[in-house]
Amino acid sequence: MTAFTRMAGLALASMATVWSSLACAVDLPKSAEVKQSGALTVANTVDFAPFEYLDADGKQTGIIIDLAGEVAKALDAKLDVQRIPFPSMIPGLAAGRFKIAWETFSATPERLKQVDFVMFLKAGIAVSTTPDKKDSLSAENGLCGKRIGATGGSASDFLIDKLSKDCTDKGQAAIQKSLFNSTADSTQATLSDRIDARMDDATASSYFEVTSKGQLVVLPKLYEVAPLGMAIAKDDKGTADMMVAALSELFKNGTYKTILEKYGMGAYAIKEPYFVNSMDALRAD
């Protein structure tokens, strides 16, 4: 083989690699609005850590802001975040003022009459305790007979009653329930060993684990798990397809998981993003 032949072969191999790389590049669908403006515009609330908030330097950050930024990059678009009060989001979508309200919405029959959803997260109720008690409380029937606190009248309050009955039905000791006026009160009671653990919204509990540097840790099991998603204008297939496709890329390349774990929310990942336009479309994962 001559030197020229070898060089030609190397050149062809190099070109083949480039062509292969280009062929593997993802051509994501874009809505008409993104194609025209070059911007991904999302409505988002002002302050709901860890999903969106201002950091010490006054910069927008949080799970949703980070995910939206990565989606915009994948779409080769500029991210435009519009601050909208939460109660105005679904009416704003229904009125056509914007196409995407990226928050942590639960899909309900009432909401689905006005908007559709793209699910990207799950949440539920979690138990948090001090690190020294985590293993014992995580065991099977580990909550039975323990002192568990919750905010009075919350979903956690009623869940403790249900779990306590499960304990007694199995011949175990009932849960000793304590009720508090606020999350701060039950947190302090757990830290001071007046109760063994507290039960609350899972995402808020995990965020406290991160910000408190592990003073309280969240047990692995989630209760009453439900999917959460962004709201999309009703029957806007172009926007829905775009967001599902772009998010799917973040799921595949690990960006989604990295962002959730950055905020201590890895336990609330779902298997894949998906579209919901009826209650029948909701998944249990």
Side-chain angles (χ1 to χ4, degrees):
M1 182 183 291
T2 67
F4 174 80
T5 303
R6 286 197 298 271
M7 290 177 64
L10 289 172
L12 288 172
S14 178
M15 291 175 67
T17 300
V18 171
W19 290 333
S20 176
S21 177
L22 290 173
C24 292
V26 178
D27 185 16
L28 296 175
K30 296 182 182 181
S31 67
E33 290 75 20
V34 171
K35 287 179 181 178
Q36 182 177 1
S37 67
L40 174 68
T41 301
V42 299
N44 182 253
T45 57
V46 177
D47 189 6
F48 183 43
F51 298 104
E52 59 269 330
Y53 61 97
L54 299 179
D55 65 15
D57 297 323
K59 180 182 177 183
Q60 292 179 351
T61 190
I63 293 172
I64 289 173
I65 301 301
D66 288 3
L67 286 174
E70 292 297 328
V71 166
K73 287 180 186 177
L75 295 170
D76 192 25
K78 178 182 177 182
L79 178 62
D80 177 21
V81 178
Q82 298 183 0
R83 295 300 183 183
I84 305 292
F86 188 84
S88 301
M89 287 190 164
I90 288 181
L93 279 170
R97 290 197 290 272
F98 41 84
K99 298 291 186 180
I100 303 169
W102 199 333
E103 261 305 330
T104 52
F105 289 101
S106 298
T108 65
E110 294 75 18
R111 286 173 173 170
L112 282 165
K113 292 176 183 177
Q114 303 180 72
V115 299
D116 296 327
F117 295 95
V118 172
M119 297 305 183
F120 69 97
L121 199 67
K122 67 183 177 183
I125 296 175
V127 176
S128 53
T129 187
T130 49
D132 59 301
K133 297 177 182 176
K134 180 178 180 180
D135 289 344
S136 62
L137 290 174
S138 298
E140 185 176 1
N141 302 320
L143 300 184
C144 298
K146 299 299 191 296
R147 304 166 297 165
I148 311 296
T151 300
S154 66
S156 299
D157 177 359
F158 303 114
L159 177 58
I160 291 174
D161 292 338
K162 178 182 176 181
L163 295 177
S164 185
K165 184 178 184 303
D166 290 343
C167 289
T168 56
D169 287 349
K170 296 175 183 177
Q172 302 287 324
I175 293 174
Q176 303 173 49
K177 183 172 74 172
S178 296
L179 296 179
F180 299 88
N181 292 325
S182 69
T183 293
D185 290 343
S186 63
T187 297
Q188 186 55 45
T190 309
L191 290 170
S192 61
D193 196 33
R194 287 185 284 125
I195 57 176
D196 295 306
R198 59 182 296 275
M199 188 173 283
D200 199 1
D201 174 77
T203 53
S205 298
S206 291
Y207 186 59
F208 182 79
E209 178 177 341
V210 173
T211 56
S212 72
K213 295 180 169 53
Q215 291 184 59
L216 293 183
V217 293
V218 178
L219 304 191
K221 185 170 183 178
L222 290 179
Y223 301 91
E224 299 188 354
V225 177
L228 301 174
M230 69 182 76
I232 304 291
K234 195 69 180 175
D235 299 324
D236 184 352
K237 187 176 185 300
T239 298
D241 287 349
M242 173 183 72
M243 296 308 294
V244 170
L247 279 170
S248 294
E249 287 306 307
L250 302 190
F251 276 62
K252 292 174 186 175
N253 66 26
T255 301
Y256 169 76
K257 182 178 179 182
T258 298
I259 290 174
L260 291 190
E261 291 181 345
K262 172 184 174 182
Y263 296 93
M265 299 291 165
Y268 313 121
I270 61 174
K271 295 177 182 177
E272 61 183 2
Y274 63 98
F275 175 68
V276 169
N277 61 356
S278 72
M279 294 301 291
D280 293 337
L282 290 173
R283 302 179 188 174
D285 65 350

